[in-house]
Amino acid sequence: CEWCAAWDRDVGGIYTKTPEAGLAPLRRVQLHAERPVDLRDIPPVIYTPTFVLIDQGKEIGRIAGYPGVDHFWGLLGVLLQRLERPPGT
């Protein structure tokens, strides 16, 4: 989709090089493919792209759709604060 392409262009190429990737490694799952066993308990994804943050096997938040590069990083920062050990601790 065009929003997935925008995310790939704006974020996807650098994501693995960021501190955020160390806390929330990126794992791509196709929307219409069979869901991996370890993700079957999370609510379904409706919009693409959707970034789902999982901590200890449970969803703790998601970014549905792509709101643009600045909003993505800001929203991701908020989600990362919900991790068992937030960044900087």
Side-chain angles (χ1 to χ4, degrees):
C1 75
E2 69 182 270
W3 298 108
C4 297
W7 189 92
D8 280 338
R9 179 191 66 238
D10 298 344
V11 179
I14 63 166
Y15 187 82
T16 59
K17 300 171 187 163
T18 66
E20 291 85 352
L23 297 167
L26 184 61
R27 177 178 173 192
R28 293 178 186 251
V29 177
Q30 295 299 313
L31 181 64
H32 298 295
E34 184 176 342
R35 194 181 305 189
V37 174
D38 62 324
L39 300 179
R40 290 197 178 143
D41 291 335
I42 68 167
V45 169
I46 299 170
Y47 303 103
T48 59
T50 295
F51 189 97
V52 180
L53 185 61
I54 297 175
D55 189 23
Q56 299 182 20
K58 300 207 183 281
E59 178 178 338
I60 59 171
R62 64 176 60 197
I63 302 169
Y66 178 57
V69 67
D70 293 332
H71 285 89
F72 173 81
W73 291 114
L75 292 169
L76 180 58
V78 171
L79 288 182
L80 291 175
Q81 292 299 316
R82 298 179 187 172
L83 288 172
E84 183 71 23
R85 290 195 269 160
T89 61

